Amino acid sequence: MRKKLIPAILLVSSVPAILFSAGCKKEPPGNSATATFGAYDTEPDWNDTSKLIKLGYAESQGKHIFYTYCVWCHADATPAGPSNRSNLTPMPPLLNDGDKLNGESDEYLQNMITLGGGALGKSEMMPPYGKTLTPEEIKSVIAFARAIAQPPYQKPGRPGSAYAPK
Ligand code: HEC
């Protein structure tokens, strides 16, 4: 009798936890009118502008910085018309270029943006932003790049897991 009672108590005591977690779903159930609910901002997928990518807080801060400082070289279209990208050699990668950037670590990108291309043996055409932007602001631009990456960016797994960076 006692032995059967314990699992029953465990079951009953887990009910509130199940109900609670059901109430915390991240995605709102919704139609297109509520599709951006819970996001700070959105960005069209550059490869398919019919799709909107939801941005979290840091990512939306990074979007603002990108469209202030980086869009002129790292996108083809800017708020002021065509960009300067195709005039540069080497041509800067599009910020959503997952094929190029997904394999690069956050640390590497942080250094590249802070110190500029010249400091890392790359093109001097990539300016250093360490005196213009704070480390947090640079982190947020990287978060924005990760959010819009195509193919999508997968966070590296914990060291030792099958998904850890090579
Ligand atoms: C004047 C043009 C210009 C501006 C403005 C600019 N970049 Fe760049 N960026 C470049 C060029 C050119 C390269 C390529 C360097 C190379 O490969 O030698 C580059 C490379 C990079 C890379 C490295 C990519 C890689 O795979 O190594 C990152 C990351 C990057 N830029 C981010 C940014 C961010 C973020 C901003 C804005 C804060 C920015 N850039 C502003 C021209 C620019």
Side-chain angles (χ1 to χ4, degrees):
M1 187 61 200
R2 276 189 78 124
K3 272 193 187 142
K4 279 196 179 148
L5 213 74
I6 292 169
I9 289 168
L10 286 177
L11 193 76
V12 171
S13 62
S14 64
V15 165
I18 292 167
L19 289 177
F20 181 68
S21 63
C24 291
K25 270 195 201 142
K26 285 218 177 77
E27 297 286 323
N31 51 39
S32 55
T34 58
T36 59
F37 178 80
Y40 285 88
D41 198 352
T42 57
E43 175 73 0
D45 180 338
W46 294 3
N47 296 4
D48 176 358
T49 49
S50 71
K51 288 188 199 150
L52 275 188
I53 298 168
K54 291 186 203 176
L55 304 178
Y57 178 74
E59 295 159 358
S60 58
Q61 300 288 302
K63 170 179 171 170
H64 181 72
I65 291 164
F66 174 77
Y67 278 104
T68 307
Y69 295 99
C70 326
V71 67
W72 319 109
C73 297
H74 286 282
D76 285 325
T78 80
S83 80
N84 204 21
R85 179 169 175 261
S86 58
N87 297 324
L88 297 177
T89 312
M91 205 193 293
L94 292 171
L95 199 76
N96 78 333
D97 185 346
D99 285 327
K100 178 134 179 93
L101 301 180
N102 287 352
E104 283 167 357
S105 67
D106 288 358
E107 291 74 16
Y108 171 81
L109 299 180
Q110 185 93 22
N111 283 336
M112 175 64 118
I113 301 164
T114 306
L115 304 171
L120 299 190
K122 298 273 200 135
S123 168
E124 298 272 0
M125 295 298 301
M126 168 61 200
Y129 287 93
K131 296 213 166 99
T132 319
L133 300 172
T134 66
E136 279 306 308
E137 286 171 325
I138 293 174
K139 248 188 208 166
S140 72
V141 190
I142 297 168
F144 175 63
R146 299 310 196 191
I148 64 170
Q150 291 301 335
Y153 173 71
Q154 308 279 337
K155 261 197 187 152
R158 279 179 293 147
S161 88
Y163 303 102
K166 278 162 218 129

